[in-house]
Amino acid sequence: MKISLAKFLRLGVWLSITLILFVLGTNIWVVQSTKSSIYTIDTVPLNNVALVLGTSKRTVEGKPNRFFVERMNTAASLHLDQKIKHIIVSGDNRTKYYNEPRDMLQALGDLDIPEEDISLDFAGLRTLDSVVRCTEVFGQNKVTIVTQEFHCYRSLFIAQYFEMEAVAVSADNGGPIGNALALREVLARTMAVLDLYVLQRKPKYLGEEIILPIKS
């Protein structure tokens, strides 16, 4: 049976509208269900452990990545202010030339954070991987997530799905994030909903439990 061009176009319009509403609805869900758990350095409650989500040390232009700098400064401030005792740095180490956890370890060391208070998670390939590994590998169900505000919502949404007692600290210094990154995050929130509730994805790597050397 042939479909007329007019019917085909109407179908395309309705599909587009449905997709837009789905993206909008999932973003509202992610943001509204997590916004009350986002704090500043001054207001965040005490926790033993901070989970710092990885990002590249430099931009594609080779310049320092302000998101990386902000996350390191925020994590260091939390530690120095005794808002947390231990830091998990979780990120990608896809090659010997690209290693987010090692870069974060070095940056935190430069900010006077003792190496024994930092644990490295080399399998934080995605936000989902980092959050789930925090509880299933590192045994931490109560944690303070450190990242930029736009990323806090999705991170907390994943943590809440896995019944973690998570809060987040916004590492923003007020700079713009750019339209491309904003759109990417909007789509990533929708994908997080699909990953959790439809595809039921798990981290690529888990492994044996790692006991953190948290000071009493």
Side-chain angles (χ1 to χ4, degrees), residues 37 51 128 130-136 139-145 155-167:
S37 297
L51 171 65
L128 185 146
S130 294
V131 172
V132 176
R133 282 176 55 80
C134 180
T135 183
E136 294 195 10
Q140 302 304 309
N141 192 56
K142 188 175 182 181
V143 67
T144 298
I145 299 172
S155 309
L156 287 168
F157 187 78
I158 295 169
Q160 288 176 0
Y161 177 87
F162 288 97
E163 300 181 344
M164 296 173 65
E165 297 181 49
V167 295

Side-chain angles (χ1 to χ4, degrees), residues 107-180:
L108 289 171
D110 292 341
L111 293 169
D112 298 324
I113 306 302
E115 187 170 342
E116 61 267 24
D117 289 348
I118 305 169
S119 293
L120 282 66
D121 176 16
F122 294 107
L125 306 180
R126 305 170 61 206
T127 301
L128 185 146
D129 297 58
S130 294
V131 172
V132 176
R133 282 176 55 80
C134 180
T135 183
E136 294 195 10
V137 175
F138 291 92
Q140 302 304 309
N141 192 56
K142 188 175 182 181
V143 67
T144 298
I145 299 172
V146 177
T147 187
Q148 274 66 36
E149 183 173 346
F150 69 85
H151 192 200
C152 286
Y153 302 107
R154 176 160 55 98
S155 309
L156 287 168
F157 187 78
I158 295 169
Q160 288 176 0
Y161 177 87
F162 288 97
E163 300 181 344
M164 296 173 65
E165 297 181 49
V167 295
V169 173
S170 171
D172 287 296
N173 278 339
I177 67 171
N179 293 333

Side-chain angles (χ1 to χ4, degrees), residues 7-195:
K7 288 184 177 179
F8 182 78
L9 291 175
R10 283 199 296 272
L11 178 62
V13 169
W14 280 112
L15 287 175
S16 297
I17 292 173
T18 301
L19 179 60
I20 291 171
L21 289 176
F22 180 70
V23 171
L24 179 62
T26 50
N27 270 262
I28 291 173
W29 181 16
V30 170
V31 171
Q32 291 299 318
S33 64
T34 58
K35 65 180 183 179
S36 63
S37 297
I38 300 175
Y39 295 85
T40 65
I41 293 175
D42 295 329
T43 62
V44 67
L46 302 180
N47 265 335
N48 279 338
V49 175
L51 171 65
V52 185
L53 299 176
T55 188
S56 175
K57 182 178 179 180
R58 298 192 177 276
T59 66
V60 292
E61 295 85 10
K63 299 178 181 179
N65 180 0
R66 77 171 178 88
F67 295 144
F68 179 92
V69 174
E70 288 173 352
R71 292 181 198 184
M72 298 307 102
N73 288 339
T74 299
S77 294
L78 288 172
H79 187 278
L80 294 171
D81 292 346
Q82 299 183 338
K83 293 295 184 75
I84 51 98
K85 297 178 180 178
H86 198 85
I87 300 171
I88 301 173
V89 290
S90 179
D92 191 355
N93 69 325
R94 67 192 73 170
T95 73
K96 65 180 180 179
Y97 303 108
Y98 185 86
N99 193 317
E100 291 176 352
R102 288 290 180 193
D103 287 341
M104 290 190 279
L105 175 66
Q106 180 177 348
L108 289 171
D110 292 341
L111 293 169
D112 298 324
I113 306 302
E115 187 170 342
E116 61 267 24
D117 289 348
I118 305 169
S119 293
L120 282 66
D121 176 16
F122 294 107
L125 306 180
R126 305 170 61 206
T127 301
L128 185 146
D129 297 58
S130 294
V131 172
V132 176
R133 282 176 55 80
C134 180
T135 183
E136 294 195 10
V137 175
F138 291 92
Q140 302 304 309
N141 192 56
K142 188 175 182 181
V143 67
T144 298
I145 299 172
V146 177
T147 187
Q148 274 66 36
E149 183 173 346
F150 69 85
H151 192 200
C152 286
Y153 302 107
R154 176 160 55 98
S155 309
L156 287 168
F157 187 78
I158 295 169
Q160 288 176 0
Y161 177 87
F162 288 97
E163 300 181 344
M164 296 173 65
E165 297 181 49
V167 295
V169 173
S170 171
D172 287 296
N173 278 339
I177 67 171
N179 293 333
L181 182 56
L183 176 59
R184 176 184 171 188
E185 184 59 30
V186 165
L187 297 177
R189 290 173 191 159
T190 297
M191 195 65 229
V193 173
L194 293 174
D195 279 345

